[in-house]
Amino acid sequence: MNKGHCLCGAVELETNQSVENINACHCKTCQQWGGGPFLSVDCKSDLHITGTDNV
């Protein structure tokens, strides 16, 4: 099980998928929206998110 959360902990993510590759985008749009590069992991359909009301 791989787990993650936002900085304040209000939103949590869980997946059983192997996290071997992390994709990064450094375009100006991603940098402006996130304050840095956008990072993503392909979890397929195996993604459980809690705290979506905080997004």
Side-chain angles (χ1 to χ4, degrees), residues 24-45:
C25 180
H26 294 83
C27 77
K28 290 192 181 292
T29 301
C30 287
Q31 290 179 5
Q32 288 174 339
W33 276 83
F38 171 76
L39 303 174
S40 68
V41 175
D42 185 7
C43 297
K44 314 268 187 277
S45 62

Side-chain angles (χ1 to χ4, degrees), residues 1-47:
M1 173 74 66
N2 290 297
K3 297 180 180 182
H5 58 81
C6 64
L7 290 175
C8 72
V11 179
E12 296 180 346
L13 308 149
E14 294 180 345
T15 184
N16 286 313
Q17 289 290 327
S18 175
V19 178
E20 297 176 7
N21 296 317
I22 298 176
N23 302 306
C25 180
H26 294 83
C27 77
K28 290 192 181 292
T29 301
C30 287
Q31 290 179 5
Q32 288 174 339
W33 276 83
F38 171 76
L39 303 174
S40 68
V41 175
D42 185 7
C43 297
K44 314 268 187 277
S45 62
D46 178 30
L47 181 63

